[in-house]
Amino acid sequence: MPALFIILIAALVAIREHPEKLLSWIVLGLLAAVLPFFRSEMVLLFIPLAVWAILVTPARQRLRSAACVVLAFAAPLSAWVIRNYLIHGSFLLTPPVKWYAAWSGLGQVPNDYGYETSDYLAGIFLKSKGITQHTAQSEAHFKAEYMSAWLEHPAHVLETIIFRFKLILTAIDLSIANPKIVDLAYYLFWVMLCSTPIALIWLVSKRRWSDAFLVALPAGYAVCSLGLLYVEQRYVRYASLSYLIAFPIFLAAVTEVPSHVLNKWGATQARISMTVVATLAVGALAAYSINFLPALRQMAVEAAYANMREPHSMEILPWTGTLDDFTLHKSIPDVDVSKSADGLELSFTAKSGSYLLAAPMHNGPGDFVHIKYKIVLKEGGLGIGVLSKDKARWLSFRLLSGAPGTAREGSFYMKAEDESSLIITSEKSEGSYRAVFKDLRWKIACPQGGTPEPLLLIFNKDFALTGPCLQNQVE
């Protein structure tokens, strides 16, 4: 979705140069119609498209341009509605989950009213009433529940909306294991976030309405669509595009301030002031670089290590844990584990997303882990990943799914955190699971030979030598 939104913004900028061409507006509408097929809330894009046509088209052609882009946007969606009627017998544009999403959003803030965000619990509740989930009947039920929430608990409904607005505008979705890179990303994110209101005020003060619209579009659309219903960070990654677009505009606004001030001074005052400002800027940059460049260099080295794929220096190391000698700790009580000639067989009943088995890897904070697996799926799907010590986030994760009898084989190499755990999860099914582990092993290694130069790592992955981590070996 972020990539599609970038393409959409580029198209909006391009059409601003030639707004008089009706064909361009038709192409824009057809291009934008692709987005609803990825995220159903994008069906409302016809509103900003019409607004854009009014902003950038000459006055006499505004209505015609807006009509062309909206009709072109609606054409593929209308065809999809007709297709659904011919196949399913009902006119549906989006899945019947809108009111369920609105009701589920009420559970995003802790409450005592029975509102939940669990699809599993919602399915059980509907089943007890004889209603099938994700149907017209379930939508009617959740619509009534949501409307009742406004009447009975309006303060809570508003609290959930504010929670989602804050999540969309101030949260960043990262899946990076390196804490230094995470800290740097958050720092840059907040710098750009705080600069966005200043950039918007500056654009509005100069009556650059279309530029201000482009800056506000990603974040504004996310807030006005999913912000009112239900949101997860992965749904609205595109919202941060507003901050990326606004930051260079903020820099342009800042550079105008000295010129306005200096124009009122004499030549001597201007030269002295500029010299003082330049000296302070150079001093601040030097002081910052002394502390920042070593950290940046270390991040580059760690990123190079983390992105290696099965380096030769690690192939000779022994496996630290295998199916024969490591202990699997049951995470839920109804998991049956038995060994056979085919391997380790697991059978269990659980809901999707449950932690089934956990194995501590006894690794240190600077260790690298190579994990290898071969699993035959008998019923349901599995997930295999490495979880942080505090169980707060995945450091790496693989989804293993397929038809019964499918064999999934692979490996992954990553930098782990201190005392990480190997976790097996249930995925893609509700009920019974069964799988045979033919192979599951890992090895732990540490960087050897000091810290290499980051530029050398770009051209030679084997320059990042690894060796045994003697201090972490378990007797």
Side-chain angles (χ1 to χ4, degrees):
M1 188 53 63
L4 289 171
F5 222 97
I6 290 172
I7 294 172
L8 176 63
I9 292 174
L12 294 176
V13 173
I15 204 170
R16 183 170 57 177
E17 304 300 322
H18 305 285
E20 70 283 352
K21 297 181 179 180
L22 292 183
L23 179 61
S24 299
W25 290 105
I26 294 173
V27 172
L28 176 62
L30 293 174
L31 173 66
V34 174
L35 277 73
F37 290 94
F38 287 83
R39 290 291 312 170
S40 58
E41 72 274 6
M42 291 292 161
V43 72
L44 300 176
L45 270 178
F46 71 92
I47 299 174
L49 290 175
V51 172
W52 185 250
I54 294 171
L55 281 174
V56 303
T57 306
R60 290 181 296 178
Q61 298 179 340
R62 285 174 182 169
L63 183 59
R64 186 174 60 173
S65 298
C68 283
V69 71
V70 170
L71 290 174
F73 177 78
L77 303 181
S78 301
W80 186 254
V81 170
I82 296 172
R83 174 260 183 197
N84 286 339
Y85 176 76
L86 294 176
I87 294 178
H88 302 293
S90 58
F91 290 101
L92 287 176
L93 176 59
T94 59
V97 295
K98 295 182 292 297
W99 288 108
Y100 168 66
W103 177 86
S104 184
L106 300 176
Q108 291 194 283
V109 173
N111 64 91
D112 299 323
Y113 311 126
Y115 303 129
E116 299 282 352
T117 59
S118 171
D119 294 346
Y120 179 71
L121 294 177
I124 293 177
F125 177 76
L126 289 174
K127 189 176 181 180
S128 68
K129 293 182 172 294
I131 302 174
T132 303
Q133 199 168 12
H134 304 327
T135 61
Q137 292 80 7
S138 66
E139 280 290 88
H141 170 79
F142 286 120
K143 178 181 179 181
E145 291 289 323
Y146 182 73
M147 293 303 178
S148 296
W150 273 105
L151 297 174
E152 299 171 6
H153 315 292
H156 176 74
V157 178
L158 292 173
E159 185 181 4
T160 62
I161 293 174
I162 294 172
F163 167 82
R164 287 189 289 274
F165 284 6
K166 182 180 178 182
L167 183 69
I168 292 171
L169 297 176
T170 65
I172 181 172
D173 186 18
L174 291 176
S175 57
I176 301 172
N178 191 312
K180 298 186 184 69
I181 297 180
V182 172
D183 290 343
L184 178 62
Y186 269 101
Y187 173 77
L188 295 175
F189 174 81
W190 277 98
V191 168
M192 291 188 290
L193 187 156
C194 294
S195 67
T196 300
I198 299 174
L200 285 171
I201 293 172
W202 184 72
L203 290 173
V204 171
S205 68
K206 290 184 169 293
R207 299 183 180 276
R208 292 171 55 178
W209 306 112
S210 62
D211 288 334
F213 179 84
L214 284 176
V215 170
L217 177 59
Y221 190 86
V223 165
C224 294
S225 56
L226 290 180
L228 299 174
L229 297 176
Y230 175 87
V231 70
E232 295 179 20
Q233 284 182 272
R234 60 193 176 96
Y235 297 164
V236 290
R237 291 187 180 115
Y238 64 87
S240 298
L241 292 173
S242 287
Y243 311 143
L244 288 172
I245 300 172
F247 187 66
I249 298 172
F250 164 77
L251 295 178
V254 170
T255 57
E256 278 199 356
V257 175
S259 63
H260 285 299
V261 175
L262 295 177
N263 285 338
K264 300 177 182 179
W265 291 0
T268 303
Q269 291 174 310
R271 283 195 299 270
I272 294 174
S273 300
M274 292 298 290
T275 302
V276 171
V277 171
T279 302
L280 292 174
V282 171
L285 180 61
Y288 180 72
S289 298
I290 291 173
N291 293 322
F292 179 71
L293 288 181
L296 184 62
R297 181 175 180 273
Q298 184 62 27
M299 283 190 290
V301 172
E302 292 181 0
Y305 273 117
N307 285 290
M308 287 190 301
R309 294 293 182 268
E310 300 182 12
H312 297 306
S313 60
M314 201 171 184
E315 292 178 355
I316 61 174
L317 298 180
W319 294 101
T320 306
T322 69
L323 279 173
D324 295 328
D325 57 21
F326 74 85
T327 302
L328 285 170
H329 300 278
K330 295 186 178 181
S331 301
I332 58 177
D334 52 350
V335 179
D336 293 325
V337 182
S338 61
K339 289 188 177 181
S340 65
D342 293 333
L344 187 71
E345 184 168 350
L346 283 73
S347 60
F348 45 87
T349 301
K351 65 178 182 178
S352 180
S354 298
Y355 290 179
L356 304 174
L357 304 167
M361 293 189 295
H362 304 295
N363 62 286
D367 299 351
F368 296 88
V369 179
H370 180 207
I371 298 170
K372 186 176 182 180
Y373 60 89
K374 183 177 182 180
I375 301 172
V376 179
L377 302 172
K378 298 292 187 179
E379 187 176 1
L382 296 178
I384 179 171
V386 177
L387 201 61
S388 62
K389 181 180 180 180
D390 59 4
K391 305 294 190 293
R393 65 188 186 283
W394 290 106
L395 305 180
S396 185
F397 185 82
R398 297 290 188 276
L399 177 63
L400 312 178
S401 61
T406 300
R408 300 300 303 273
E409 182 177 5
S411 63
F412 53 100
Y413 177 83
M414 55 167 293
K415 182 179 180 182
E417 294 183 359
D418 187 26
E419 293 294 334
S420 302
S421 297
L422 181 64
I423 303 290
I424 308 297
T425 66
S426 56
E427 302 291 340
K428 298 294 184 180
S429 181
E430 298 289 346
S432 299
Y433 293 82
R434 193 158 57 92
V436 177
F437 283 72
K438 291 184 172 294
D439 191 14
L440 177 60
R441 63 181 73 182
W442 68 81
K443 61 176 65 175
I444 300 173
C446 284
Q448 301 291 311
T451 302
E453 289 300 324
L455 289 178
L456 293 177
L457 292 173
I458 296 175
F459 302 104
N460 185 1
K461 68 177 182 179
D462 292 323
F463 189 83
L465 298 178
T466 58
C469 302
L470 300 177
Q471 71 277 16
N472 297 320
Q473 290 183 351
V474 179
E475 297 295 337

